Every structure is written in C-alpha cells, then in structure tokens.
Amino acid sequence: MAGRVDLDGNQIKPITICMIGAGGFIGSHLCEKLMSETPHKVLAVDVYNDKIKHLLEPATLAWADRIQFHRINIKNDSRLEGLIKMADLTINLAAICTPADYNTRPLDTIYSNFIDALPVVKYCSENGKRLIHFSTCEVYGKTIGAFLPKDSPLRQDPAYYVLKEDESPCIFGPIEKQRWSYACAKQLIERLIYAEGAENGLEFTIVRPFNWIGPRMDFIPGIDGPSEGVPRVLACFSNNLLRREPLKLVDGGESQRTFIYIKDAIEAILLMIENPARANGHTFNVGNPNNEVNVRQLAEMMTQVYSKVSGESSIETPTLDVSSKEFYGEGYDDSDKRIPDMTIINKQLGWNPKTALWDLLESTLTYQHRTYAEAIKQAMSKTTAN
Ligand SMILES: NC(=O)c1ccc[n+]([C@@H]2O[C@H](COP(=O)([O-])OP(=O)(O)OC[C@H]3O[C@@H](n4cnc5c(N)ncnc54)[C@H](O)[C@@H]3O)[C@@H](O)[C@H]2O)c1
Ligand SMILES: O=C(O)[C@H]1O[C@H](OP(=O)(O)OP(=O)(O)OC[C@H]2O[C@@H](n3ccc(=O)[nH]c3=O)[C@H](O)[C@@H]2O)[C@H](O)[C@@H](O)[C@@H]1O
C-alpha cells in the first residue's frame, strides 16, 4: 500500500470517499478493493449492508477504521449533504437497475435514476466536490444497424454498431415502450452533470458499465430475494441451473451482449479514482468487447460451465423460449447489440479488460454453487414435502 503512485508517477494521497449504493453488487466489490489494496477511507451509504457485512465485522479487521456504514435512504435524509462535505470524492451507484422494473415500475425507475440523483449532483457542485456517477451502456439504446434491413451488408460494418462515447446517438423506442424509462432518466442525469461541469465547474466522471457480472450480483429468487422477483440475466440463469429447470430465452435469445468480469471493471474504477486529472470531464465505456455472445449462446455456455463446476449433468431440455410479454410484461423492449468502443478509456487510463467469458463464468458459477446449492435443495425439499 505504501508508495502507491498514479499513472503519471505522482504519490497517491489517501482520500475519503462517500460511496452511495455501497451495499450493492458493484459497491461491494469496490469497497473490497479499496479496503484490501488502498489506504482510502469509505463512508458507505446504502439502505442494505448484507453484501459488505464481511468488510464491516468483526471490528478487528485490518481496515476497520477506514470504512463506516451509514444506513441512509438518499430520497429523504438530511445527513447526505454532511457526508458529501466530509468526503473528497462522491461515487454514486444508487439506482433501480433491473430491467424487470423499468416497464412495471417506471415511476420508481425514473425517480431513482434521475430525481434522487439530483441532490447528489447539487451537493457536489455547491461544495466543490468531485463526483464519479454511474450511468449505463443502456443510454446508447439500440444500434443504428438495428434499423437496417436484416440482410444489409452494412450490419457487419462496425460503424453501424460500435458504441462510442463522443459520437454515437442515443436511440430509444416510443414512450409506451416503458423499458426506456431507465435509459432516458440516466441520459438526463448525464446531461445535467455535464452541464454542471460546463457552467459551474463540477469535476465529474461518468461511467457507462457494459454488463458487469460476477459473484454477489442481484439475488436468487426465494433464497435471498423475493420468490416472484426477476433479477438480471446472470442471476436468472443461475437460479434456473441451481433448480435444474430450463433457462428461459426471451424472444428467442437473439439479443447480443458483451459481458465483463466485475474484478476487471473494478480495476478501471480504481484508476479513475486515483487519476483525477486523467478522468475528470470524461465519460467512459467500461466493458469487454471481446466477450460478445447472444443470450442463447450465454445460456449454452452457462449450462456447460455449471455442469463442470457442480459435477451434475445438464437436464434434457436445457432452454425454453418465452415471449418478452410473458416474461417482463407490457412495455418491454430490448437493446439489440452492445459493443463498447475502448478508445477513450485506453487513451486516458491505459486500461484493458483481461478475463475471457468462459473463465469469468467458471469463477462466478463456482461461487453461485457454493453459496446457494444447499439452500435451494432445502427450499425445494420443503416445497415437495408440503
Ligand atoms: N451491474 C452492471 O453491469 C451495471 C450496468 C450498467 C449500469 N450499472 C449502474 O451501476 C450502478 C450500480 O449497479 P449494481 O449492479 O451494483 O446495482 P445494485 O442494485 O446491486 O446496487 C445499487 C445499490 O443502491 C442502493 N440504493 C438504491 N436506491 C437507494 C436509495 N434511495 N438510498 C440508498 N441506497 C440506495 C441499493 O440498495 C443497492 O444496494 C447503478 O447505478 C446501475 O444503474 C450497473
Ligand atoms: O448490465 C448492463 O450493462 C445494463 O444492462 C442491463 O440490461 P440488460 O442487459 O438488458 O439486462 P439483463 O437482465 O442482464 O438481460 C440481458 C438479456 O437477457 C435476456 N434475458 C434475461 C433474463 C432471462 O431469464 N432470460 C433472458 O433471455 C434479456 O431479455 C436481455 O436480452 C440492465 O439494464 C442494467 O443492469 C444495466 O444498465
């Protein structure tokens, strides 16, 4: 930890970070990294702390005096401004960010991603504090290529699908496709932060994550989350595999995604934290363009990897096609393809992702099996007994 230097060879001074949403998937990994590898302090703000309990207790942990948990709902708590004032940097991760909510709870989604983020931006701007705000790759919406005829050769041309921070348009569907409530709220908060930078000198960095996945993502329905809840695809498919039921492919599983291992992505965030001169004023794609699959291929790969790590053979019919209306309800729509352009993050921070899809699924599904297999067996035998 001693003698840490930034990318320009300058000594890194310990700072205090107000991390809002620290108890979530990304927050838990970022806290872990900051505690184990840096001298920085974290004021961890969230309504839950289950995913960071191992960092908070026991009080004898090496970093015990560098992390404090504050159980605060940022919608309505006057303590927020005080915490932002105490910190050198605020990182805002708090959001509703599961697609099943975008079309079924659009008001909560818009409030969470725009209205609730407003005071955070305002307090940072008014108090001269730096802000790293988590947006999303969903702000790009659909690719330009999605509007070309299916057999157009231009669909193979990267100019029609690679997503660039400073060039690509944001293409959303019509208003009744409420799926886009999330992307639209995130886009507006990005524009507001950018304007605070331009007009009031706010020092900001915007992060656009592209499908970060790994241990502790979301929840397993009926085990550590609601039985009827629909998490993001990694947890949905993990749940199906653990319960030995078919993986559900929405609208044929044709949508394409690039998946990145959470630990690779966290390296990029640490570089942003410790290199403000290189990160301020920028919006960064953070993803792994080499790990592209469609959802059907993801399902097949996860089925193979899970067989390997659990030692169980796969079931006879491993996948099942479902319509998006059946699975998510009215108003669902989808991003067709998401390949991040890496030029800006490469130039500013020299960062590249490392982990191949098979390897990141192997470590993640090993974790899922170890954490949940027994609990699922017990829950299923109880249901059968009843
Ligand atoms: N995981 C990804 O791949 C991904 C992709 C794109 C964008 N993002 C963005 O990154 C951020 C973090 O995502 P995540 O995957 O860790 O999600 P997450 O749901 O695991 O974490 C969000 C955390 O914010 C907390 N939170 C929400 N509202 C709050 C409030 N009003 N007050 C206090 N805490 C509140 C939640 O309790 C949760 O612990 C989000 O802004 C999300 O939109 C994530
Ligand atoms: O992670 C990201 O980068 C962003 O994208 C996600 O959106 P999306 O990728 O559509 O969400 P997933 O739930 O991970 O779904 C991926 C794909 O799998 C499909 N899916 C999901 C679940 C399932 O059981 N079956 C299935 O076919 C979805 O329809 C979608 O096409 C979420 O919006 C956010 O977490 C985030 O902003």
Side-chain angles (χ1 to χ4, degrees):
M1 248 186 246
R4 287 172 62 76
V5 290
D6 68 16
L7 292 171
D8 298 304
N10 304 309
Q11 201 81 28
I12 294 170
K13 290 198 195 93
I15 57 167
T16 299
I17 300 168
C18 173
M19 195 190 299
I20 306 167
F25 163 57
I26 296 176
S28 72
H29 286 274
L30 189 51
C31 285
E32 231 167 46
K33 183 85 171 175
L34 289 165
M35 290 306 110
S36 61
E37 291 182 27
T38 81
H40 307 308
K41 285 191 178 153
V42 173
L43 308 172
V45 174
D46 206 304
V47 282
Y48 304 112
N49 67 7
D50 318 29
K51 295 184 184 184
I52 51 170
K53 266 229 158 87
H54 61 295
L55 300 173
L56 303 171
E57 292 165 10
T60 48
L61 287 167
W63 50 73
D65 60 340
R66 291 197 288 114
I67 184 162
Q68 268 174 28
F69 177 66
H70 297 264
R71 194 178 300 278
I72 285 179
N73 184 337
I74 63 161
K75 274 184 192 302
N76 48 29
D77 201 306
S78 57
R79 288 173 292 173
L80 181 63
E81 185 171 12
L83 292 174
I84 290 176
K85 277 187 181 167
M86 276 165 65
D88 304 288
L89 161 70
T90 293
I91 301 180
N92 189 10
L93 294 146
I96 287 178
C97 53
T98 37
D101 292 317
Y102 309 162
N103 58 316
T104 55
R105 299 169 58 204
L107 283 177
D108 287 342
T109 301
I110 294 168
Y111 271 76
S112 168
N113 284 284
F114 182 67
I115 307 285
D116 300 346
L118 274 177
V120 177
V121 180
K122 187 174 144 242
Y123 297 148
C124 287
S125 189
E126 287 173 357
N127 293 291
K129 301 292 183 177
R130 184 177 172 222
L131 171 67
I132 297 181
H133 185 83
F134 272 71
S135 180
T136 172
C137 59
E138 282 212 17
V139 297
Y140 294 109
K142 298 181 187 236
T143 63
I144 311 171
F147 296 88
L148 293 168
K150 277 253 180 301
D151 56 354
S152 167
L154 289 178
R155 280 186 174 240
Q156 308 311 316
D157 181 343
Y160 290 83
Y161 62 78
V162 172
L163 302 169
K164 298 187 177 184
E165 298 93 328
D166 51 355
E167 283 182 29
S168 300
C170 301
I171 310 174
F172 306 152
I175 303 299
E176 64 260 35
K177 294 285 185 195
Q178 298 204 76
R179 158 60 185 256
W180 303 108
S181 58
Y182 168 76
C184 197
K186 286 281 202 197
Q187 186 196 153
L188 191 54
I189 199 76
E190 278 201 23
R191 290 192 186 275
L192 185 111
I193 291 168
Y194 193 90
E196 279 289 350
E199 292 191 29
N200 296 325
L202 172 69
E203 290 183 5
F204 73 86
T205 301
I206 289 169
V207 183
R208 291 182 179 167
F210 281 64
N211 292 81
W212 300 9
I213 60 174
R216 295 196 292 271
M217 185 170 198
D218 298 337
F219 58 90
I220 296 297
I223 303 297
D224 54 4
S227 308
E228 300 307 314
V230 180
R232 286 170 284 189
V233 69
L234 174 84
C236 284
F237 285 177
S238 300
N239 183 40
N240 299 145
L241 290 165
L242 284 153
R243 292 178 190 274
R244 297 187 65 72
E245 59 191 27
L247 279 60
K248 292 186 178 139
L249 300 180
V250 173
D251 293 340
E254 282 176 10
S255 298
Q256 290 166 285
R257 296 288 188 271
T258 49
F259 292 94
I260 177 172
Y261 193 35
I262 180 72
K263 291 184 195 296
D264 288 356
I266 291 294
E267 296 275 352
I269 304 307
L270 188 56
L271 285 168
M272 292 175 205
I273 293 172
E274 297 193 322
N275 292 275
R278 287 167 175 260
N280 283 346
H282 288 283
T283 297
F284 291 113
N285 287 342
V286 181
N288 187 337
N290 307 317
N291 281 348
E292 189 184 33
V293 280
N294 65 28
V295 176
R296 181 177 292 279
Q297 291 165 328
L298 175 74
E300 286 163 3
M301 201 186 270
M302 283 182 67
T303 304
Q304 282 176 32
V305 172
Y306 191 70
S307 276
K308 183 179 170 201
V309 303
S310 67
E312 293 165 10
S313 59
S314 54
I315 60 172
E316 208 164 301
T317 316
T319 58
L320 177 73
D321 283 308
V322 292
S323 72
S324 54
K325 195 168 166 198
E326 229 178 300
F327 193 78
Y328 288 112
E330 208 67 67
Y332 182 75
D333 201 356
D334 208 353
S335 303
D336 52 306
K337 185 173 172 79
R338 288 183 184 158
I339 307 250
D341 182 79
M342 305 297 287
T343 312
I344 297 182
I345 196 157
N346 255 289
K347 176 166 171 258
Q348 293 304 118
L349 303 171
W351 173 85
N352 278 301
K354 298 182 212 122
T355 315
L357 188 55
W358 177 279
D359 298 340
L360 74 89
L361 289 177
E362 192 165 332
S363 48
T364 305
L365 290 179
T366 301
Y367 171 90
Q368 303 288 58
H369 184 67
R370 215 179 39 224
T371 310
Y372 294 110
E374 201 44 50
I376 295 240
K377 238 180 235 154
Q378 283 180 17
M380 288 175 73
S381 62
K382 247 189 221 156
T383 321
T384 324
N386 290 338

